[in-house]
Amino acid sequence: MSEKKYLGILAGACGVLAILCVVAFTGKQSLSGKTIDTVLLNEKYSSQLACVEVVHHDTFLTLYKKELSGKSLWIGFTADESTFNTSSHLVFPVDSTRMEEFLAAMMQLRSLSLVSQKQDQSTLASFGFVTEHGHTAENSHLHEGYDFRFQLQDGSVVSQVLFGDKNYSGYRVYLKTPESPIYLGADDFYPWRSVSAKSWAEMDLVSRQLLGIRGEKDVQGLEITLHNHEEGRVHKNITPTNGDFSSKVSRLLSLRGGSLIEPSVALGKNQLGEITLYTGRGSRVVLQIFEGSISQLDQEVSSYYVIPQIHSLDGSSVNLQSEVDGRNYGFEISGLNYGFEISPWTWESLQALAQD
C-alpha cells in the first residue's frame, strides 16, 4: 500500500470518528445557539421568602425562614418517604452564610443556552430530569434530578427550578422550570444541590445564631459537669473572673461536629457529662455528651455524641408549619431535633475546659 493511499485511509477514519463524536453529543448541547440572560429567583422576593423546598428522589429537605426575638434565621427539616409519619427526622439550624450565598447565586443574572424545547418524558429523562411519575431515567443513580421550590408565607410558589445532569464537560448543568425549555448553564450550583442536612446545617456545637451571640464577649459563664472514671464527678463553674475564661469560651465556640445525628442515637449510651453555656441575654445551651461508636478492632470508643438543648433568647418558641406533598408538619424551636457525632480529639478539647 502506497504512503499516499495509507494517509487517505487514515484521514477518512479520522473524519468518521469526528462525525461520531458530534453525533454522540448531539442533544446534549445547544442546537439553536440561542441564549437568554435571566435570574432563577427574582430579587424582589428575597425578603418575602418563607421556605425553600429541595426534593431529590424520595428525600425532602425544607428550609424555613423564621423570626426569633427580632432576628431572621433559617431552620432545616429533612425526611424521606419512609419517615413522614414517624419521629425519625432532623430539625436543625441552617448555616446563615451558606444560605445567603445560595440565595445570591439564585438571584444572579446568568446566561443560559437553549438545548431542547421538547417536554416528553424520554427527552426529560435523557437530561436527568424527574418525570411526572417521580422517577428519573434508567440507571437513576447516574442522574441529579433536584427540584428547588421557593415559597412565600401564603404557600404560593414564586420560583421552581429543576436541575438535571451535568453535561459531558462536568462544568455545566441542565436546568429548567416546569414550563420552560431545557437550558444549559454554568454549574456554580453544585454546593447546594444536596438534601443532606450536613450540607446546610450550622455545624458549630454552640449555635451562635440561635443564642443571639456573636462571640465570647456575649457569654456570661460556663457550667461543666463531667463523669470521670478516675476522678469521679467533676463540676466547675467558670465565670469572667477566671483568668482563662475568654480563651476557654473561645475554644468552645470554635468546636464543630463531624456529622449530624438524631438525638435518639444517643439513647442508652453512657453519659459522660454536660456543658452549659450562659449568655448575658438570657439564652443558654446545654451540651449533653455521650459515648458514641465503639471500634470493632480494639473495642475502644472511637467517637462521641453531643446533643444540644437550646433555650432561646426570651424563652419563647417558634411554631413552624409546612405542607409537603399534602402532609402537614409542625414543630417548635424549643424541640430542635439534632445532634453531633464528634471525634476523640473534640472530646478531649471539651474535657480540657474543666482543667485549671
Side-chain angles (χ1 to χ4, degrees):
M1 181 184 296
S2 67
E3 182 178 351
K4 184 176 181 180
K5 186 175 182 180
Y6 176 79
L7 292 175
I9 294 174
L10 183 61
C14 290
V16 171
L17 288 175
I19 293 172
L20 290 175
C21 287
V22 171
V23 172
F25 293 119
T26 297
K28 292 286 187 177
Q29 294 179 335
S30 173
L31 302 180
S32 65
K34 293 182 179 179
T35 61
I36 62 168
D37 293 326
T38 186
V39 297
L40 302 179
L41 175 66
N42 195 314
E43 187 175 1
K44 72 178 183 180
Y45 296 120
S46 61
S47 62
Q48 305 173 44
L49 287 177
C51 78
V52 178
E53 291 180 0
V54 189
V55 183
H56 179 57
H57 300 308
D58 294 329
T59 303
F60 298 75
L61 170 77
T62 309
L63 310 170
Y64 300 87
K65 185 180 181 181
K66 288 296 171 181
E67 296 293 324
L68 180 64
S69 299
K71 296 186 65 176
S72 294
L73 53 85
W74 289 86
I75 301 294
F77 173 92
T78 184
D80 58 40
E81 286 284 5
S82 64
T83 61
F84 268 134
N85 297 316
T86 72
S87 59
S88 180
H89 55 256
L90 286 170
V91 185
F92 55 91
V94 174
D95 186 294
S96 57
T97 300
R98 188 173 186 81
M99 195 66 190
E100 290 171 3
E101 292 174 347
F102 163 64
L103 293 176
M106 299 303 289
M107 293 184 288
Q108 175 186 332
L109 183 66
R110 58 185 66 249
S111 181
L112 304 178
S113 303
L114 177 64
V115 174
S116 175
Q117 299 200 35
K118 294 182 179 180
Q119 298 292 313
D120 60 280
Q121 291 188 19
S122 176
T123 299
L124 294 176
S126 69
F127 289 98
F129 293 105
V130 176
T131 70
E132 64 181 20
H133 298 297
H135 301 290
T136 56
E138 294 181 6
N139 302 319
S140 60
H141 63 283
L142 300 176
H143 297 274
E144 302 292 338
Y146 284 91
D147 182 352
F148 285 78
R149 304 174 191 179
F150 300 81
Q151 298 183 19
L152 304 184
Q153 191 65 47
D154 62 4
S156 59
V157 177
V158 294
S159 179
Q160 181 176 358
V161 183
L162 309 173
F163 290 96
D165 291 336
K166 297 178 183 179
N167 76 334
Y168 66 92
S169 72
Y171 296 107
R172 293 165 70 78
V173 66
Y174 300 103
L175 67 158
K176 67 187 298 297
T177 68
E179 297 80 21
S180 79
I182 298 171
Y183 290 99
L184 185 65
D187 187 18
D188 53 358
F189 308 101
Y190 65 89
W192 306 288
R193 281 204 312 277
S194 174
V195 288
S196 165
K198 183 180 178 180
S199 297
W200 295 89
E202 180 186 14
M203 294 298 291
D204 296 331
L205 298 188
V206 175
S207 172
R208 302 188 193 194
Q209 61 175 344
L210 289 179
L211 294 176
I213 63 175
R214 287 179 290 183
E216 62 268 16
K217 293 182 179 179
D218 296 320
V219 178
Q220 194 175 55
L222 297 177
E223 184 176 357
I224 303 174
T225 302
L226 300 177
H227 306 292
N228 190 304
H229 294 298
E230 298 177 356
E231 302 177 17
R233 182 175 180 271
V234 176
H235 182 82
K236 287 194 175 184
N237 286 307
I238 305 174
T239 68
T241 59
N242 296 81
D244 57 356
F245 176 77
S246 180
S247 62
K248 287 191 173 185
V249 171
S250 178
R251 179 72 168 178
L252 178 58
L253 293 179
S254 71
L255 296 178
R256 294 170 58 85
S259 61
L260 280 178
I261 61 169
E262 294 179 26
S264 60
V265 173
L267 290 177
K269 298 289 186 178
N270 180 36
Q271 185 167 356
L272 303 175
E274 63 181 36
I275 298 175
T276 303
L277 180 147
Y278 299 92
T279 75
R281 308 186 63 186
S283 58
R284 71 184 187 278
V285 59
V286 180
L287 303 178
Q288 296 182 327
I289 308 161
F290 300 86
E291 285 185 350
S293 300
I294 305 296
S295 171
Q296 295 183 353
L297 295 177
D298 51 20
Q299 295 300 302
E300 295 290 330
V301 179
S302 59
S303 68
Y304 299 83
Y305 300 143
V306 175
I307 311 301
Q309 294 182 339
I310 304 289
H311 301 266
S312 58
L313 297 180
D314 54 9
S316 65
S317 61
V318 176
N319 291 324
L320 304 179
Q321 298 287 341
S322 177
E323 188 169 308
V324 182
D325 194 27
R327 301 172 175 86
N328 190 63
Y329 299 94
F331 44 86
E332 295 183 347
I333 202 170
S334 58
L336 286 167
N337 196 64
Y338 76 107
F340 300 102
E341 186 169 19
I342 63 172
S343 66
W345 178 88
T346 304
W347 165 232
E348 291 174 3
S349 295
L350 291 172
Q351 288 178 294
L353 298 175
Q355 298 174 1
D356 295 325

